[in-house]
Amino acid sequence: MRDLTAVKDALKNHQIELPSWAFGNSGTRFKVFGQPGVPRTPYEKASDAAQVHAYTGVAPSMAVHIPWDKVDDYEALAVHAKNNGIRIGTVNSNVFQDDDYKLGSVCNPDPRVRRKALAHLLDCVDIMDATGSRDLKLWFADGTNYPGQDDISARQDRLAEALAAVYGRLGPGQRMLLEYKLFEPSFYTTDVPDWGTSLLHCQALGPRAMVVVDTGHHAPGVNIEFIVALLLKAGRLGGFDFNSRFYADDDLMVGAADPFQLFRITHEVVKAGALAPAAGVAYMLDQCHNIEPKIPAQIRSVMNVQEATAKALLVDTGALGAAQRAGDVLGANAVLMDAYDTDVRPLLAGLREELGLAPDPVSAYLASGYGEKIISERTGSSPAGWGA
Ligand code: LRH
Ligand code: MN
């Protein structure tokens, strides 16, 4: 059994990044249900994200999405975040909501549109310079809906050209994370549909191009922890967009739909020694709280990642290795299930108390009155959302 002090230290140093867009209104193509008290500005989103860190102790940064989080002064936004105990993290580009991008952005057959998309990506690197962010996360909705609509190979060349231009613009210590997604909004081809396509582009670009695994972006039945293990071996796992799903890109709370899958993923990460921030794997949430209150949902999500990670840290790696080498199938499986079936909630409650935090972050937040305060304060101008 792992020594608990090492397990607790690893959990105390764990850092989970929150998505600014999880605090804004979100929904589906059928309906966006507005909620009272939703932030109206990136500043208010950062204030809400700071609440999650205040009660969990392990969510010290908020990712931003441009232009959803467009401000006049990004240094000032970074200072506001700092004054609230967090920092601005990953910068997410958005080349999927402009009319010009109907046939794609960097893969569009029209060079004018490609130049426009590239300009936005380069603007995002300028924003990273202002916020002090390390990572630029690129997700492209680019793809086609019908066979023959465009040339699959030519689109890859256009993509590679744009990525190379962005890679060349990166400053010291900056990285680009290329996110893949099987489908939606494109329904025949997606130009970055899977880990292999993302990895090929990253390897062609250079050492600071890494793959992002969004847990909602795979075909049903795909063994995500296998992909994670491979990307870790290749030194190309840049990060996760954690969420969960029952069907497609549902963006539900991480661990809500399949906590065992989350455990199997964190087991591969822990086993590869890639949990500590220094390992360079960004643990980001990418979720939408369409019907549930957003700040408590983010707190619960952070707790779900902590619980899966704590269980993974409790795996008796010695016994597991011995059983695996002995070909003891049931024995090896039992070692892993023992860790998964361990109730780690008392351990995490104790760890929070050691950090000077309440053992149950959700009830502590609900008792704080912050939720009621923002509902009474945030009246008037329009709440933030995806603006789709
Ligand atoms: C695309 C995606 C991507 C973000 C967006 C909010 O589905 O996962 O990471 O840009 O959601
Ligand atoms: Mn994502």
Side-chain angles (χ1 to χ4, degrees):
M1 184 55 75
R2 301 289 304 271
D3 81 65
L4 277 189
T5 315
V7 168
K8 284 189 185 178
D9 287 348
L11 290 166
K12 283 174 184 167
N13 297 321
H14 197 193
Q15 298 185 349
I16 299 160
E17 183 161 288
L18 309 179
S20 66
W21 53 97
F23 298 99
N25 280 331
S26 60
T28 71
R29 58 183 162 178
F30 300 105
K31 173 70 176 166
V32 170
F33 295 99
Q35 294 185 22
V38 157
R40 299 154 303 174
T41 67
Y43 290 85
E44 291 181 344
K45 293 176 189 177
S47 303
D48 292 0
Q51 287 290 303
V52 178
H53 186 50
Y55 290 96
T56 64
V58 293
S61 64
M62 179 186 81
V64 292
H65 216 296
I66 310 297
W68 299 338
D69 298 312
K70 186 173 178 11
V71 292
D72 301 337
D73 184 341
Y74 288 99
E75 274 100 354
L77 179 63
V79 169
H80 170 79
K82 194 162 182 300
N83 294 344
N84 284 271
I86 63 170
R87 66 178 188 277
I88 299 298
T90 306
V91 172
N92 285 263
S93 60
N94 179 337
V95 286
F96 53 86
Q97 287 186 311
D98 187 297
D99 290 343
D100 273 337
Y101 299 144
K102 184 172 73 177
L103 300 180
S105 64
V106 295
C107 301
N108 194 296
D110 180 343
R112 179 191 65 77
V113 175
R114 298 201 296 271
R115 283 194 298 276
K116 175 179 177 174
L118 176 56
H120 170 74
L121 303 181
L122 296 174
D123 289 347
C124 287
V125 183
D126 296 342
I127 293 169
M128 291 164 68
D129 294 343
T131 56
S133 300
R134 174 191 65 183
D135 293 341
L136 171 68
K137 181 150 78 70
L138 304 174
W139 171 69
F140 298 103
D142 291 44
T144 64
N145 277 359
Y146 297 98
Q149 174 187 329
D150 198 351
D151 185 277
I152 292 172
S153 178
R155 292 178 72 93
Q156 290 300 307
D157 295 340
R158 298 164 196 160
L159 173 62
E161 187 186 331
L163 292 175
V166 177
Y167 191 86
R169 165 67 185 82
L170 291 177
Q174 294 178 335
R175 307 186 309 173
M176 58 193 290
L177 310 183
L178 183 57
E179 184 176 356
Y180 60 86
K181 181 176 180 179
L182 182 65
F183 80 103
E184 188 210 36
S186 302
F187 296 105
Y188 169 53
T189 66
T190 293
D191 294 299
V192 188
D194 55 29
W195 67 274
T197 307
S198 176
L199 182 61
L200 283 174
H201 281 287
C202 290
Q203 288 174 328
L205 289 161
R208 288 189 284 145
M210 311 288 274
V211 180
V212 165
V213 175
D214 184 312
T215 47
H217 287 186
H218 305 81
V222 166
N223 187 321
I224 299 176
E225 61 269 25
F226 182 90
I227 297 170
V228 169
L230 244 60
L231 291 172
L232 284 166
K233 285 181 78 62
R236 292 286 177 163
L237 179 64
F240 291 98
D241 266 7
F242 276 137
N243 49 62
S244 71
R245 51 83 170 274
F246 290 103
Y247 304 103
D249 191 16
D250 308 351
D251 280 340
L252 299 173
M253 289 193 296
V254 59
D258 189 345
F260 186 41
Q261 179 190 60
L262 181 60
F263 163 73
R264 299 193 312 267
I265 290 170
T266 50
H267 170 58
E268 290 303 328
V269 169
V270 167
K271 192 157 55 69
L275 188 64
V281 177
Y283 296 88
M284 303 171 281
L285 301 183
D286 179 3
Q287 299 174 177
C288 298
H289 304 299
N290 300 343
I291 58 174
E292 68 270 27
K294 300 168 189 293
I295 297 171
Q298 284 283 295
I299 294 174
R300 179 69 252 177
S301 302
V302 169
M303 294 167 68
N304 286 354
V305 175
Q306 283 188 301
E307 288 174 18
T309 306
K311 291 174 186 237
L313 287 163
L314 291 174
V315 171
D316 185 337
T317 49
L320 181 63
Q324 289 169 340
R325 287 188 296 278
D328 178 359
V329 175
L330 293 178
N333 176 253
V335 172
L336 209 64
M337 294 315 292
D338 285 350
Y340 179 65
D341 295 333
T342 302
D343 183 356
V344 293
R345 293 173 293 183
L347 168 75
L348 288 166
L351 180 138
R352 294 185 187 108
E353 287 173 323
E354 286 174 22
L355 291 170
L357 304 174
D360 176 356
V362 173
S363 55
Y365 167 77
L366 293 174
S368 73
Y370 182 87
E372 292 75 13
K373 181 170 82 71
I374 57 178
I375 288 173
S376 60
E377 285 173 0
R378 296 177 181 172
T379 54
S381 56
S382 57
W386 279 37

